[in-house]
Amino acid sequence: MSFDASEYGRHAADVYDETYAHLTPDAAVERLAELADGGPVCEFGIGTGRLALPLAARGLTVAGVEGSPEMAAGLRAKPGGDAVEVAVGDFAGTRVPGEYALVVLAFNTIFALPDQAAQVACFRNAAAHLRPGGRFVVEAWVPDPGAFRAGGALRPVRVTEDVVLLEAALLHPVEQRMTTTKVRLTNGGVHLLPANHRYAWPAELDLMAELAGLRREHRWEDWSGRPFTDHSREHVSVYRRPEPA
């Protein structure tokens, strides 16, 4: 299917930071800094710098790939953003110069790619960016088709006095795909944020890593390192490029 890597940012860039301001990046930044161990970091889907800027503030060299020129512009406009090298393009294939200790694909962004072939290509692209011994970290939710009724679902994401964030979704199980739109309701009006997903279970992501020459090193329930169990609804998976024999 056709895929426009810039589409999400065209809808979301102007409200992205406000929409997700309630999600603090502290635990993720702490874990990623530990995994990078002082080495350079490349973030796929770097967005407006939610993770990249705090990592750079710790003294790490940070670069990234972003599909949306609008999101990249939002990053560059922030303090310290001009020090982060950003290549605008599809992170399944766009290359940033250099070798990295850590490649990051957070916040379920692996599912933004349209099909399995693109996701496999993304893992290979991540491996191509890694130096020997480097790590690729993927944060994603665990698919739950049982949450859908008659192929559809509507769930509240956040409800406060000032903003209501809902997610409407239709399930297409043959293609492991979801058509989704977040609906942001405020006193200022309604904002729609479409973000379709090609979902994959953790075991399928592990196989993509194997095809890219990577080996799983860790899988946690969250950034704090809690064990991943049968009941976990999200995961943080760490894959490593082997050292030369």
Side-chain angles (χ1 to χ4, degrees), residues 18-222:
E18 295 174 65
T19 301
Y20 296 109
H22 62 290
L23 299 178
T24 61
D26 299 354
V29 170
E30 188 70 33
R31 179 68 64 181
L32 292 170
E34 176 186 310
L35 292 170
D37 194 25
V41 178
C42 181
E43 184 179 1
F44 289 180
I46 197 169
T48 60
R50 188 178 70 96
L51 299 178
L53 292 176
L55 288 169
R58 288 174 170 244
L60 297 173
T61 298
V62 182
V65 180
E66 172 54 46
S68 163
E70 294 87 352
M71 296 282 271
L75 166 59
R76 294 189 184 104
K78 294 179 179 179
D82 55 354
V84 178
E85 180 182 358
V86 179
V88 175
D90 182 352
F91 57 81
T94 301
R95 187 78 167 83
V96 181
E99 285 192 329
Y100 294 86
L102 191 69
V103 174
V104 183
L105 185 53
F107 210 27
N108 316 307
T109 309
I110 182 65
F111 298 154
L113 294 168
D115 52 37
Q116 186 183 69
Q119 291 169 349
V120 169
C122 175
F123 270 79
R124 288 181 172 143
N125 192 30
H129 280 80
L130 290 174
R131 66 192 186 188
R135 296 179 169 99
F136 180 35
V137 182
V138 178
E139 177 193 19
W141 39 262
V142 178
D144 183 17
F148 289 76
R149 182 177 178 84
L154 178 66
R155 69 181 183 96
V157 177
R158 186 174 183 236
V159 179
T160 72
E161 293 181 352
D162 301 317
V163 59
V164 173
L165 187 64
L166 308 173
E167 183 179 65
L170 294 176
L171 187 68
H172 312 283
V174 171
E175 298 175 320
Q176 289 181 208
R177 192 167 52 82
M178 289 166 50
T179 301
T180 73
T181 295
K182 284 190 172 66
V183 183
R184 187 173 185 265
L185 307 171
T186 68
N187 289 334
V190 179
H191 204 114
L192 302 181
L193 294 88
N196 299 332
H197 303 277
R198 191 274 169 182
Y199 59 88
W201 279 267
E204 187 180 356
L205 298 180
D206 289 350
L207 183 55
M208 295 180 193
E210 290 274 346
L211 293 172
L214 305 175
R215 299 291 180 268
R216 196 179 84 207
E217 183 177 43
H218 302 289
R219 172 164 288 136
W220 303 301
E221 181 175 276
D222 55 24

Side-chain angles (χ1 to χ4, degrees), residues 81 107 143 152 239 241:
F107 210 27
Y239 303 98
R241 179 180 170 183

